[in-house]
Amino acid sequence: MTLKEFHAEIKDCQKCSLGRSRTNLVFGAGNEKADILFVGEAPGYYEDQRGEPFVGAAGKLLTELLTKIGLKRSDVYIANILKCRPPENRDPSREEVEACTPHLLKQIEIIKPKVVCTLGNSATQTILDKRVPITKVKAKATQVKDFLVFPLYHPAAALHQGWMRGPLEEDFQKLKEFLASEVKPKPLLKEAEQLDLF
Ligand code: SF4
């Protein structure tokens, strides 16, 4: 299956109540053969209006961070745990996350990226399926199911808390080093395994 075919399959999704309040379903955007798949939490106002992920200020910072490691937006794929915006940008409910996460897992299966970079606590905890603070796991590769996860601070957090900008830039450099290394995903594991590569 291609991303286009999968998009056609879920474009009218009503698996949770957000299907009724969204303006546009925000499927994801970027390179279908990307080595990196970035995952945020959920679309915000502008994403909902345009049907594209990371189009606001946080998206601009993400583009800048990519440029610093020699990448363009068109080199990577960007998606969210939720495809539809929670009203007033409230936190997603557990039911919404459970309903929508299979869509993201299908995208990962289709793209087969070298690494899935979760952005922020919420996306990281959802994909790791552990209530672990991002400060403990950021910029470390972790095996989950049959793919590798490399958590990072969310660019929006770095916009609101200036001190995060430096560490986020450093972690993008670690991501670049990680991608240049020859680490290959391991076969399916039952539990998330911390590899502590750096
Ligand atoms: S948030 Fe996900 S599960 Fe809920 S309606 Fe949108 S696409 Fe479907």
Side-chain angles (χ1 to χ4, degrees):
M1 178 180 273
T2 64
L3 283 179
K4 194 175 172 189
E5 288 166 344
F6 184 51
H7 186 200
E9 196 175 284
I10 69 161
K11 68 182 174 47
D12 299 318
C13 180
Q14 295 289 337
K15 273 177 71 186
C16 76
S17 62
L18 298 180
R20 292 193 293 279
S21 58
R22 71 178 173 233
T23 309
N24 288 294
L25 183 146
V26 183
F27 180 75
N31 190 331
E32 183 152 357
K33 299 188 187 310
D35 282 342
I36 313 174
L37 195 164
F38 288 99
V39 179
E41 181 183 54
Y45 175 80
Y46 293 106
E47 288 79 14
D48 174 64
Q49 292 293 308
R50 289 178 49 178
E52 289 176 42
F54 281 80
V55 292
K60 189 163 174 275
L61 177 54
L62 178 60
T63 304
E64 284 174 30
L65 292 162
L66 285 171
T67 303
K68 288 194 175 194
I69 60 169
L71 292 172
K72 303 187 291 291
R73 290 273 289 236
S74 56
D75 293 323
V76 304
Y77 197 85
I78 304 174
N80 285 299
I81 298 287
L82 291 191
K83 307 283 180 237
C84 306
R85 179 191 180 219
E88 311 304 323
N89 291 352
R90 64 160 170 74
D91 289 342
S93 70
R94 180 197 287 253
E95 291 73 25
E96 289 158 358
V97 169
E98 284 178 359
C100 211
T101 301
H103 295 335
L104 176 69
L105 294 177
K106 185 69 182 176
Q107 288 174 300
I108 294 171
E109 187 188 312
I110 294 169
I111 297 168
K112 296 184 181 59
K114 274 190 182 172
V115 66
V116 174
C117 289
T118 50
L119 300 172
N121 258 322
S122 175
T124 299
Q125 292 179 1
T126 298
I127 294 297
L128 296 184
D129 198 18
K130 284 183 181 211
R131 291 203 62 78
V132 56
I134 190 155
T135 47
K136 297 273 186 219
V137 294
K138 74 176 184 68
K140 292 176 183 169
T142 301
Q143 183 84 33
V144 175
K145 298 182 181 168
D146 53 357
F147 55 88
L148 285 170
V149 179
F150 194 97
L152 294 163
Y153 286 139
H154 197 295
L159 288 174
H160 293 122
Q161 301 175 74
W163 64 266
M164 277 189 182
R165 177 75 180 246
L168 185 54
E169 288 184 10
E170 287 166 19
D171 291 346
F172 264 73
Q173 287 300 325
K174 289 180 185 170
L175 174 62
K176 182 181 178 183
E177 291 164 23
F178 171 73
L179 286 168
S181 70
E182 290 300 312
V183 177
K184 298 273 191 294
K186 289 182 180 177
L188 187 75
L189 295 178
K190 283 201 176 112
E191 296 291 327
E193 178 189 346
Q194 191 81 6
L195 295 178
D196 274 328
L197 294 169
F198 298 96

